[in-house]
Structure formats: structure tokens, C-alpha cells
């Protein structure tokens, strides 16, 4: 780790703390900006993006880019977490909701794809498209 990455700014600490409090939830840069504006201590969008990218580089936060029509999502990973389970995503084509998916059956599919089809899936970029439960109920 270089000396720059060890230096912790107030905004870095605030954003990291917010993401830690939201563990298990996908957060966009806009969500971060909105949160701090609502708390009465706004942080500029540029600063939020810069700090999020630093957190990603340091492995504290995961970054997910689902598709060209959706903003990047960030998720707290933990400061010293080296092993992490694969996370897949489901995206509702009606409302745009993004759902985290940790599923052993998909892990088996991943192993099958690699063994039988010589193709390795990238869990961070694997997205299943369909209709979420809420939207399906309204059809």
C-alpha cells in the first residue's frame, strides 16, 4: 500500500462508514450524495466518485457495472476480506430493481460451464434479466 492510500480524509471515512452501515446493499454514487445532502453535510459528486474508486482499489468496496443503462453500484466488502462468495445479479426489466443473488445452484452452473464448455463466468458481471416478484404480481 502506498503512503497516499494510507492517508484517510474526512470524506473517505464518512463514505466508508456509510457503505459499511449499508452492508449487503447496492449503493450508487448518487445514493451516497443524496444521503449526505439529507444529513446536512453534502459531499460533491466528484469527491464521492474519487473516494468510491479509492475504496474499490483498496478492496474495501466492490464495484458492479450491470449494463450501459444503469449506474455503477458499490457494495461494502470489508477491510481485510480476501475470500468472498460469488455474487450474481438479477435485474428487473420492468422497474430496474437490482437483486443480489448468492446461490449454490448457480455455483454449480458456474462449475459446469467451466468443466463442460470451457467457459469461465465472471460473477461480478453475470446478470440475469427478468421480472421481479413485485412487478410480476402487478401483471
Amino acid at each position: 500500500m502506498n503512503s497516499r492510500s494510507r492517508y484517510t480524509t474526512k470524506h473517505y471515512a464518512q463514505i466508508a462508514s456509510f457503505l459499511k452501515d449499508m452492508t449487503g446493499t447496492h449503493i450508487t454514487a448518487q445514493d451516497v450524495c443524496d444521503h449526505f445532502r439529507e444529513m446536512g453535510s453534502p459531499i460533491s459528486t466528484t469527491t464521492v466518485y474519487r473516494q468510491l474508486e479509492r475504496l474499490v482499489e483498496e478492496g474495501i468496496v466492490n464495484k458492479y457495472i450491470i449494463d450501459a443503462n444503469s449506474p455503477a453500484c458499490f457494495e461494502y466488502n470489508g477491510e481485510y476480506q480476501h475470500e468472498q462468495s460469488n455474487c450474481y445479479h438479477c435485474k428487473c426489466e420492468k422497474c430496474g430493481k437490482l437483486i443480489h443473488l448468492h446461490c449454490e445452484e448457480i455455483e454449480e452452473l458456474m462449475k459446469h460451464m467451466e468443466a463442460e464448455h470451457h467457459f469461465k463466468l465472471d460473477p461480478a458481471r453475470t446478470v440475469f434479466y427478468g421480472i421481479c416478484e413485485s412487478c410480476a404480481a402487478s401483471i
Side-chain angles (χ1 to χ4, degrees):
M1 208 184 272
N2 64 34
S3 61
R4 180 176 178 218
S5 62
R6 291 185 194 148
Y7 180 72
T8 302
T9 66
K10 175 182 156 186
H11 289 144
Y12 174 94
Q14 289 175 319
I15 292 168
S17 177
F18 171 65
L19 290 170
K20 185 176 184 178
D21 290 346
M22 302 299 291
T23 297
T25 305
H26 287 111
I27 303 293
T28 65
Q30 187 61 53
D31 293 334
V32 175
C33 291
D34 292 347
H35 169 76
F36 286 102
R37 186 174 47 256
E38 290 168 9
M39 298 301 292
S41 56
I43 301 175
S44 75
T45 304
T46 302
T47 299
V48 168
Y49 275 107
R50 185 172 48 249
Q51 298 305 329
L52 286 171
E53 290 302 328
R54 181 175 161 201
L55 289 161
V56 169
E57 287 173 14
E58 293 175 2
I60 297 169
V61 171
N62 290 330
K63 179 178 182 179
Y64 301 104
I65 300 172
I66 303 304
D67 58 36
N69 299 322
S70 303
C73 295
F74 300 86
E75 179 188 26
Y76 183 78
N77 182 43
E79 291 190 41
Y80 301 105
Q81 196 171 29
H82 296 288
E83 281 186 43
Q84 51 184 299
S85 63
N86 290 329
C87 179
Y88 302 89
H89 299 88
C90 296
K91 183 169 183 182
C92 180
E93 294 177 298
K94 189 169 181 185
C95 71
K97 180 179 181 181
L98 189 62
I99 302 165
H100 247 0
L101 187 63
H102 294 276
C103 179
E104 288 183 28
E105 283 80 11
I106 294 177
E107 292 297 321
E108 291 303 315
L109 173 62
M110 187 173 160
K111 290 175 188 172
H112 169 80
M113 292 291 291
E114 190 169 1
E116 299 297 323
H117 303 286
H118 312 288
F119 189 82
K120 186 173 174 92
L121 294 171
D122 179 355
R125 296 183 47 95
T126 301
V127 181
F128 297 95
Y129 291 87
I131 304 295
C132 72
E133 184 178 25
S134 299
C135 290
S138 67
I139 294 176

